Amino acid sequence: MSRLLVSLFVICVVAAPARSGESVDLDAMLKKHVVERPLIQGPAVNRDRLDGTVVVVSFFASWCPPCVIEFAHLNELRADYDADDVTIIAINLFEDWSSFKDDGGRLDRFLARTGPTFSIVASDDETEHIFGGIDRIPTVFVFDRAGRAALHFIHAAGATVTNPDMTDLRAAIEAAL
């Protein structure tokens, strides 16, 4: 009987839609960590850009098809909101996962194809942990000016919704401003 319950639980989890919910806050420790991440491309991330602005953080990898859509959304947000009001940071994660190792060529092609107009930084194991255990991409956070989570989206396994839509992103940003 317990094997049946475990099987049913697994089926329910895989079929679950992408979820938003409780999240971490962008506190001093997270800000310090993000600022210290190596810059891959775009404007440098400094503490001043994280204090007093709405901050959008997106975790991505170049091999992730939904991340291409996510970068289009982030570029649109960058065009719609002044950098003094909204800071956008994409954190490269799981780049060398499994058989996806290629010494950065795929990431370079991804960035050339998506043309990000925001900061791109590298991740590490600690980044995954302090953001609450990132294990799916894209994972997107919107933090209000005080660093409180206004949106937390996780692309759930098997979900039909792979990204927060622009309506949800704009609503979270507007509420956070």
Side-chain angles (χ1 to χ4, degrees), residues 28-43:
M29 177 186 69
L30 268 172
K31 289 177 183 178
K32 180 180 184 304
H33 187 79
V34 169
V35 166
E36 292 173 349
R37 302 306 329 131
L39 183 67
I40 296 172
Q41 182 174 309

Side-chain angles (χ1 to χ4, degrees), residues 142-153:
V142 175
F143 298 101
D144 70 12
R145 291 179 186 270
R148 293 179 302 261
L151 177 124
H152 181 194
F153 176 91

Side-chain angles (χ1 to χ4, degrees), residues 59-158:
F59 287 88
F60 81 99
S62 65
W63 49 262
C64 163
C67 295
V68 173
I69 297 165
E70 191 60 41
F71 268 48
H73 290 166
L74 297 176
N75 279 332
E76 189 173 336
L77 292 174
R78 172 57 30 232
D80 290 348
Y81 293 96
D82 188 274
D84 291 335
D85 294 323
V86 178
T87 299
I88 301 172
I89 305 165
I91 301 177
N92 185 236
L93 183 64
F94 306 139
E95 194 60 37
D96 290 332
W97 180 72
S98 186
S99 63
F100 292 111
K101 297 176 179 123
D102 80 340
D103 295 325
R106 185 186 52 258
L107 177 60
D108 291 342
R109 289 186 302 276
F110 175 87
L111 295 175
R113 184 174 71 248
T114 58
T117 54
F118 44 86
S119 302
I120 311 291
V121 299
S123 184
D124 63 3
D125 291 339
E126 185 180 356
T127 307
E128 297 170 41
H129 175 71
I130 65 176
F131 270 91
I134 306 298
D135 60 2
R136 300 285 305 165
I137 52 174
T139 291
V140 180
F141 295 87
V142 175
F143 298 101
D144 70 12
R145 291 179 186 270
R148 293 179 302 261
L151 177 124
H152 181 194
F153 176 91
I154 302 168
H155 172 205

